[in-house]
């Protein structure tokens, strides 16, 4: 078949052509409950009316304008993020990997050419560009693309002694995800984040968080690290920020904003009027519809039901992992067939590592939809033999 796309994604079996709320439809008219949310992107669900209205109006007003000129809606978006995250400043880009590149460039500005050493987590995922890939110690991501950037070290998540051994006065930054979304839903413990931050302070090391997947309400707080009370030096955002319109961002703690000077970084498209409108409206809907509360209230009974499923199917399910609406069903064996059966039965999920089924409902999923996911998973597990 003369398929016109490069083969970095193998040829997909399904074309999606329409979405509404928590559902998507394929080109044959079949309806699916979408608990992938475009991999943690469509946090308001598909085609949320307020979001559609805002970007439609913006499309008729001003779509793009260079960052060499002021963009009022971008400034409003930045202020809204500052109000939610804390005193600091923003830079806007277009994706998660670009946000992490910007954090890595920030660490170079902080290191002033003297130190470049960055410590990241084993099993991290930070993206596919060269800096982010260098921070992602996975053979399947890195192979074929070396040499990468040097001076990265890696320690196991939650092993504070291993991190303390690597993070010294010569280290510029640590960069880590509060929950590793791509490699099995591994949660950084609150005590680990606190101790690591304290160690970073004592060694004059930047504490940088990649909240690309965990942020924008997915875990029931605006950012996933909030329960730790730790204040980062920089945060990377993307995915859910625009609810599907591409936008990434870094928030930089007010302590460091003077390191950014005219010309040191930039982006043609980053924070365009369209992207900023999409993101600002996403944040407004999260507030207006009380979606953090919705995640907290909706996730508790849903996770309980998932844990009950784990008890019922203990020969197949190893554990339920994660927080809020970033949940993994860790299985005893490979999940490829189970994911295909769930899809066939009308539930879209997404793999995380080889044996974890990732569930990412929209933040406004209804109880009926959450229960529907439990029913479908149970039916499929009853049918599968291993
Ligand atoms: N960081 C994390 C934690 C991610 O989960 C991802 C994507 O899955 C990225 C960075 C890269 O984001 P993007 O695909 O938008 O470049």
């Amino acid at each position: 078949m003369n398929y016109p796309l490069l083969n970095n994604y193998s040829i997909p079996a399904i074309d999606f052509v329409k979405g509404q709320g928590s559902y998507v439809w394929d080109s044959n008219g079949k309806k699916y409950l979408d608990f992938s949310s475009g991999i943690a992107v469509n946090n308001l669900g598909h085609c949320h009316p307020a979001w559609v209205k805002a970007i439609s109006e913006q499309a008729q007003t001003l779509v793009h304008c260079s960052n060499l000129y002021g963009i009022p809606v971008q400034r409003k978006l930045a202020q809204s993020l500052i109000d939610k995250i804390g005193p600091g400043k923003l830079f806007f880009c277009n994706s998660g990997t670009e946000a992490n590149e910007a954090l890595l460039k920030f660490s170079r500005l902080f290191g002033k050419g003297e130190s470049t050493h960055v410590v990241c987590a084993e099993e991290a995922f930070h993206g596919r560009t060269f800096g982010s890939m260098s921070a992602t110690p996975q053979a399947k991501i890195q192979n074929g693309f070396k040499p990468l950037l040097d001076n990265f070290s890696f320690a196991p998540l939650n092993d504070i002694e291993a991190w303390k051994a690597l993070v010294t006065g010569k280290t510029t930054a640590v960069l880590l995800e509060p929950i590793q979304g791509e490699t099995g839903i591994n949660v950084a413990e609150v005590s680990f984040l606190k101790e690591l931050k304290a160690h970073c302070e004592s060694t004059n090391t930047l504490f940088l968080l990649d909240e690309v997947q965990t942020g924008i309400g997915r875990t029931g707080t605006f950012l996933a690290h909030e329960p730790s009370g730790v204040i980062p030096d920089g945060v990377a955002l993307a995915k859910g920020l625009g609810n599907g319109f591409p936008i990434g961002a870094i928030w930089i703690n007010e302590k460091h904003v003077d390191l950014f000077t005219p010309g040191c970084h930039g982006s043609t498209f980053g924070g365009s009027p369209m992207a900023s409108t999409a993101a600002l409206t996403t944040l407004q809907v999260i507030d207006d519809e009380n979606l953090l509360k919705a995640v907290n209230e909706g996730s508790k009974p849903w996770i309980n039901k998932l844990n009950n499923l784990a008890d019922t199917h203990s020969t197949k399910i190893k554990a339920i992992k994660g927080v809020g609406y970033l949940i993994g069903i860790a299985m005893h064996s490979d999940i490829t067939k189970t994911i295909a059966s769930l899809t066939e039965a009308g539930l879209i999920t997404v793999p995380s590592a080889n044996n974890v089924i990732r569930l990412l409902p929209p933040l406004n999923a209804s109880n009926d939809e959450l229960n529907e996911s439990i029913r479908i998973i149970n039916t499929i597990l009853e049918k599968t033999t291993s």
Side-chain angles (χ1 to χ4, degrees), residues 13-34:
I14 300 174
D15 284 350
F16 285 129
V17 293
K18 192 176 95 171
Q20 189 61 55
S22 300
Y23 292 93
V24 283
W25 284 259
D26 72 14
S27 48
N28 298 317
K30 181 172 169 175
K31 182 181 177 186
Y32 303 78
L33 180 61
D34 182 8

PDB file of all heavy atoms in Angstrom, residues 13-34:
ATOM      1  N   ALA A  13      -4.789   1.080  12.717  1.00  0.00           N
ATOM      2  CA  ALA A  13      -5.927   0.294  12.225  1.00  0.00           C
ATOM      3  C   ALA A  13      -7.202   1.136  12.160  1.00  0.00           C
ATOM      4  O   ALA A  13      -8.142   0.780  11.466  1.00  0.00           O
ATOM      5  CB  ALA A  13      -6.147  -0.898  13.151  1.00  0.00           C
ATOM      6  N   ILE A  14      -7.233   2.227  12.918  1.00  0.00           N
ATOM      7  CA  ILE A  14      -8.488   2.998  13.045  1.00  0.00           C
ATOM      8  C   ILE A  14      -8.232   4.456  12.679  1.00  0.00           C
ATOM      9  O   ILE A  14      -7.228   5.042  13.073  1.00  0.00           O
ATOM     10  CB  ILE A  14      -9.008   2.939  14.502  1.00  0.00           C
ATOM     11  CG1 ILE A  14      -9.288   1.496  14.913  1.00  0.00           C
ATOM     12  CG2 ILE A  14     -10.258   3.793  14.671  1.00  0.00           C
ATOM     13  CD1 ILE A  14      -9.670   1.354  16.380  1.00  0.00           C
ATOM     14  N   ASP A  15      -9.171   5.030  11.934  1.00  0.00           N
ATOM     15  CA  ASP A  15      -9.172   6.483  11.698  1.00  0.00           C
ATOM     16  C   ASP A  15     -10.249   7.103  12.574  1.00  0.00           C
ATOM     17  O   ASP A  15     -11.414   6.689  12.488  1.00  0.00           O
ATOM     18  CB  ASP A  15      -9.565   6.793  10.243  1.00  0.00           C
ATOM     19  CG  ASP A  15      -8.439   6.518   9.268  1.00  0.00           C
ATOM     20  OD1 ASP A  15      -7.303   6.282   9.709  1.00  0.00           O
ATOM     21  OD2 ASP A  15      -8.714   6.531   8.054  1.00  0.00           O
ATOM     22  N   PHE A  16      -9.904   8.094  13.382  1.00  0.00           N
ATOM     23  CA  PHE A  16     -10.929   8.829  14.123  1.00  0.00           C
ATOM     24  C   PHE A  16     -11.308  10.082  13.352  1.00  0.00           C
ATOM     25  O   PHE A  16     -10.437  10.806  12.844  1.00  0.00           O
ATOM     26  CB  PHE A  16     -10.430   9.210  15.519  1.00  0.00           C
ATOM     27  CG  PHE A  16     -10.416   8.039  16.459  1.00  0.00           C
ATOM     28  CD1 PHE A  16      -9.286   7.733  17.199  1.00  0.00           C
ATOM     29  CD2 PHE A  16     -11.542   7.237  16.608  1.00  0.00           C
ATOM     30  CE1 PHE A  16      -9.269   6.654  18.062  1.00  0.00           C
ATOM     31  CE2 PHE A  16     -11.533   6.151  17.468  1.00  0.00           C
ATOM     32  CZ  PHE A  16     -10.398   5.858  18.200  1.00  0.00           C
ATOM     33  N   VAL A  17     -12.611  10.350  13.291  1.00  0.00           N
ATOM     34  CA  VAL A  17     -13.061  11.485  12.477  1.00  0.00           C
ATOM     35  C   VAL A  17     -13.899  12.501  13.252  1.00  0.00           C
ATOM     36  O   VAL A  17     -14.185  13.579  12.751  1.00  0.00           O
ATOM     37  CB  VAL A  17     -13.852  10.991  11.238  1.00  0.00           C
ATOM     38  CG1 VAL A  17     -12.936  10.229  10.283  1.00  0.00           C
ATOM     39  CG2 VAL A  17     -15.042  10.115  11.630  1.00  0.00           C
ATOM     40  N   LYS A  18     -14.327  12.141  14.471  1.00  0.00           N
ATOM     41  CA  LYS A  18     -15.194  13.067  15.211  1.00  0.00           C
ATOM     42  C   LYS A  18     -15.042  12.824  16.710  1.00  0.00           C
ATOM     43  O   LYS A  18     -14.798  11.686  17.128  1.00  0.00           O
ATOM     44  CB  LYS A  18     -16.654  12.803  14.807  1.00  0.00           C
ATOM     45  CG  LYS A  18     -17.646  13.842  15.267  1.00  0.00           C
ATOM     46  CD  LYS A  18     -19.051  13.551  14.745  1.00  0.00           C
ATOM     47  CE  LYS A  18     -19.860  12.787  15.775  1.00  0.00           C
ATOM     48  NZ  LYS A  18     -21.269  12.628  15.459  1.00  0.00           N
ATOM     49  N   GLY A  19     -15.162  13.885  17.512  1.00  0.00           N
ATOM     50  CA  GLY A  19     -15.141  13.720  18.961  1.00  0.00           C
ATOM     51  C   GLY A  19     -16.166  14.625  19.614  1.00  0.00           C
ATOM     52  O   GLY A  19     -16.440  15.725  19.112  1.00  0.00           O
ATOM     53  N   GLN A  20     -16.747  14.166  20.704  1.00  0.00           N
ATOM     54  CA  GLN A  20     -17.674  14.999  21.480  1.00  0.00           C
ATOM     55  C   GLN A  20     -17.609  14.546  22.932  1.00  0.00           C
ATOM     56  O   GLN A  20     -17.845  13.360  23.212  1.00  0.00           O
ATOM     57  CB  GLN A  20     -19.103  14.857  20.940  1.00  0.00           C
ATOM     58  CG  GLN A  20     -20.088  15.841  21.548  1.00  0.00           C
ATOM     59  CD  GLN A  20     -19.681  17.299  21.263  1.00  0.00           C
ATOM     60  OE1 GLN A  20     -19.497  17.689  20.123  1.00  0.00           O
ATOM     61  NE2 GLN A  20     -19.481  18.083  22.304  1.00  0.00           N
ATOM     62  N   GLY A  21     -17.242  15.461  23.812  1.00  0.00           N
ATOM     63  CA  GLY A  21     -17.136  15.084  25.229  1.00  0.00           C
ATOM     64  C   GLY A  21     -16.130  13.953  25.412  1.00  0.00           C
ATOM     65  O   GLY A  21     -14.997  14.025  24.921  1.00  0.00           O
ATOM     66  N   SER A  22     -16.534  12.885  26.076  1.00  0.00           N
ATOM     67  CA  SER A  22     -15.618  11.768  26.354  1.00  0.00           C
ATOM     68  C   SER A  22     -15.602  10.722  25.238  1.00  0.00           C
ATOM     69  O   SER A  22     -15.005   9.659  25.408  1.00  0.00           O
ATOM     70  CB  SER A  22     -16.039  11.070  27.653  1.00  0.00           C
ATOM     71  OG  SER A  22     -16.008  11.977  28.730  1.00  0.00           O
ATOM     72  N   TYR A  23     -16.281  11.019  24.114  1.00  0.00           N
ATOM     73  CA  TYR A  23     -16.414   9.998  23.062  1.00  0.00           C
ATOM     74  C   TYR A  23     -15.751  10.435  21.757  1.00  0.00           C
ATOM     75  O   TYR A  23     -15.677  11.629  21.453  1.00  0.00           O
ATOM     76  CB  TYR A  23     -17.898   9.705  22.803  1.00  0.00           C
ATOM     77  CG  TYR A  23     -18.545   9.004  23.989  1.00  0.00           C
ATOM     78  CD1 TYR A  23     -19.190   9.744  24.978  1.00  0.00           C
ATOM     79  CD2 TYR A  23     -18.461   7.622  24.140  1.00  0.00           C
ATOM     80  CE1 TYR A  23     -19.750   9.113  26.087  1.00  0.00           C
ATOM     81  CE2 TYR A  23     -19.022   6.991  25.245  1.00  0.00           C
ATOM     82  CZ  TYR A  23     -19.657   7.739  26.224  1.00  0.00           C
ATOM     83  OH  TYR A  23     -20.190   7.125  27.319  1.00  0.00           O
ATOM     84  N   VAL A  24     -15.281   9.429  21.008  1.00  0.00           N
ATOM     85  CA  VAL A  24     -14.801   9.662  19.638  1.00  0.00           C
ATOM     86  C   VAL A  24     -15.476   8.649  18.711  1.00  0.00           C
ATOM     87  O   VAL A  24     -15.920   7.588  19.161  1.00  0.00           O
ATOM     88  CB  VAL A  24     -13.263   9.517  19.505  1.00  0.00           C
ATOM     89  CG1 VAL A  24     -12.545  10.735  20.038  1.00  0.00           C
ATOM     90  CG2 VAL A  24     -12.740   8.244  20.172  1.00  0.00           C
ATOM     91  N   TRP A  25     -15.546   8.993  17.436  1.00  0.00           N
ATOM     92  CA  TRP A  25     -16.161   8.122  16.439  1.00  0.00           C
ATOM     93  C   TRP A  25     -15.138   7.831  15.347  1.00  0.00           C
ATOM     94  O   TRP A  25     -14.376   8.726  14.951  1.00  0.00           O
ATOM     95  CB  TRP A  25     -17.364   8.804  15.796  1.00  0.00           C
ATOM     96  CG  TRP A  25     -18.588   8.818  16.668  1.00  0.00           C
ATOM     97  CD1 TRP A  25     -19.667   7.983  16.579  1.00  0.00           C
ATOM     98  CD2 TRP A  25     -18.882   9.730  17.749  1.00  0.00           C
ATOM     99  NE1 TRP A  25     -20.601   8.298  17.545  1.00  0.00           N
ATOM    100  CE2 TRP A  25     -20.146   9.372  18.288  1.00  0.00           C
ATOM    101  CE3 TRP A  25     -18.208  10.795  18.338  1.00  0.00           C
ATOM    102  CZ2 TRP A  25     -20.734  10.043  19.358  1.00  0.00           C
ATOM    103  CZ3 TRP A  25     -18.788  11.466  19.403  1.00  0.00           C
ATOM    104  CH2 TRP A  25     -20.033  11.089  19.902  1.00  0.00           C
ATOM    105  N   ASP A  26     -15.142   6.564  14.869  1.00  0.00           N
ATOM    106  CA  ASP A  26     -14.219   6.242  13.774  1.00  0.00           C
ATOM    107  C   ASP A  26     -14.907   6.448  12.425  1.00  0.00           C
ATOM    108  O   ASP A  26     -16.090   6.813  12.348  1.00  0.00           O
ATOM    109  CB  ASP A  26     -13.622   4.839  13.956  1.00  0.00           C
ATOM    110  CG  ASP A  26     -14.615   3.710  13.700  1.00  0.00           C
ATOM    111  OD1 ASP A  26     -15.692   3.970  13.127  1.00  0.00           O
ATOM    112  OD2 ASP A  26     -14.286   2.568  14.076  1.00  0.00           O
ATOM    113  N   SER A  27     -14.145   6.205  11.342  1.00  0.00           N
ATOM    114  CA  SER A  27     -14.659   6.512  10.003  1.00  0.00           C
ATOM    115  C   SER A  27     -15.789   5.566   9.588  1.00  0.00           C
ATOM    116  O   SER A  27     -16.468   5.818   8.596  1.00  0.00           O
ATOM    117  CB  SER A  27     -13.521   6.478   8.982  1.00  0.00           C
ATOM    118  OG  SER A  27     -12.773   5.296   9.158  1.00  0.00           O
ATOM    119  N   ASN A  28     -16.005   4.483  10.370  1.00  0.00           N
ATOM    120  CA  ASN A  28     -17.158   3.611  10.086  1.00  0.00           C
ATOM    121  C   ASN A  28     -18.363   3.961  10.954  1.00  0.00           C
ATOM    122  O   ASN A  28     -19.353   3.241  10.967  1.00  0.00           O
ATOM    123  CB  ASN A  28     -16.790   2.142  10.335  1.00  0.00           C
ATOM    124  CG  ASN A  28     -15.675   1.699   9.411  1.00  0.00           C
ATOM    125  OD1 ASN A  28     -15.705   2.024   8.217  1.00  0.00           O
ATOM    126  ND2 ASN A  28     -14.696   0.995   9.934  1.00  0.00           N
ATOM    127  N   GLY A  29     -18.243   5.019  11.740  1.00  0.00           N
ATOM    128  CA  GLY A  29     -19.367   5.451  12.572  1.00  0.00           C
ATOM    129  C   GLY A  29     -19.392   4.781  13.943  1.00  0.00           C
ATOM    130  O   GLY A  29     -20.305   5.018  14.737  1.00  0.00           O
ATOM    131  N   LYS A  30     -18.393   3.938  14.254  1.00  0.00           N
ATOM    132  CA  LYS A  30     -18.375   3.281  15.568  1.00  0.00           C
ATOM    133  C   LYS A  30     -17.952   4.283  16.653  1.00  0.00           C
ATOM    134  O   LYS A  30     -17.021   5.070  16.461  1.00  0.00           O
ATOM    135  CB  LYS A  30     -17.405   2.096  15.521  1.00  0.00           C
ATOM    136  CG  LYS A  30     -17.338   1.334  16.833  1.00  0.00           C
ATOM    137  CD  LYS A  30     -16.517   0.066  16.695  1.00  0.00           C
ATOM    138  CE  LYS A  30     -16.262  -0.518  18.075  1.00  0.00           C
ATOM    139  NZ  LYS A  30     -15.583  -1.791  18.048  1.00  0.00           N
ATOM    140  N   LYS A  31     -18.639   4.202  17.806  1.00  0.00           N
ATOM    141  CA  LYS A  31     -18.405   5.147  18.911  1.00  0.00           C
ATOM    142  C   LYS A  31     -17.517   4.492  19.976  1.00  0.00           C
ATOM    143  O   LYS A  31     -17.699   3.307  20.292  1.00  0.00           O
ATOM    144  CB  LYS A  31     -19.776   5.504  19.504  1.00  0.00           C
ATOM    145  CG  LYS A  31     -19.792   6.501  20.625  1.00  0.00           C
ATOM    146  CD  LYS A  31     -21.257   6.692  21.094  1.00  0.00           C
ATOM    147  CE  LYS A  31     -21.333   7.643  22.275  1.00  0.00           C
ATOM    148  NZ  LYS A  31     -22.687   7.720  22.828  1.00  0.00           N
ATOM    149  N   TYR A  32     -16.592   5.236  20.521  1.00  0.00           N
ATOM    150  CA  TYR A  32     -15.672   4.739  21.556  1.00  0.00           C
ATOM    151  C   TYR A  32     -15.642   5.706  22.738  1.00  0.00           C
ATOM    152  O   TYR A  32     -15.674   6.930  22.541  1.00  0.00           O
ATOM    153  CB  TYR A  32     -14.229   4.664  21.037  1.00  0.00           C
ATOM    154  CG  TYR A  32     -14.012   3.828  19.806  1.00  0.00           C
ATOM    155  CD1 TYR A  32     -14.343   4.336  18.544  1.00  0.00           C
ATOM    156  CD2 TYR A  32     -13.443   2.560  19.881  1.00  0.00           C
ATOM    157  CE1 TYR A  32     -14.114   3.583  17.400  1.00  0.00           C
ATOM    158  CE2 TYR A  32     -13.205   1.802  18.745  1.00  0.00           C
ATOM    159  CZ  TYR A  32     -13.547   2.322  17.501  1.00  0.00           C
ATOM    160  OH  TYR A  32     -13.315   1.584  16.369  1.00  0.00           O
ATOM    161  N   LEU A  33     -15.496   5.155  23.931  1.00  0.00           N
ATOM    162  CA  LEU A  33     -15.236   5.972  25.122  1.00  0.00           C
ATOM    163  C   LEU A  33     -13.728   6.268  25.129  1.00  0.00           C
ATOM    164  O   LEU A  33     -12.911   5.336  25.196  1.00  0.00           O
ATOM    165  CB  LEU A  33     -15.639   5.185  26.378  1.00  0.00           C
ATOM    166  CG  LEU A  33     -15.434   5.876  27.721  1.00  0.00           C
ATOM    167  CD1 LEU A  33     -16.255   7.158  27.825  1.00  0.00           C
ATOM    168  CD2 LEU A  33     -15.812   4.923  28.870  1.00  0.00           C
ATOM    169  N   ASP A  34     -13.374   7.533  25.031  1.00  0.00           N
ATOM    170  CA  ASP A  34     -11.958   7.884  24.859  1.00  0.00           C
ATOM    171  C   ASP A  34     -11.301   8.161  26.209  1.00  0.00           C
ATOM    172  O   ASP A  34     -11.306   9.293  26.692  1.00  0.00           O
ATOM    173  CB  ASP A  34     -11.829   9.105  23.931  1.00  0.00           C
ATOM    174  CG  ASP A  34     -10.370   9.468  23.703  1.00  0.00           C
ATOM    175  OD1 ASP A  34      -9.487   8.697  24.139  1.00  0.00           O
ATOM    176  OD2 ASP A  34     -10.122  10.528  23.097  1.00  0.00           O
TER     177      ASP A  34
END
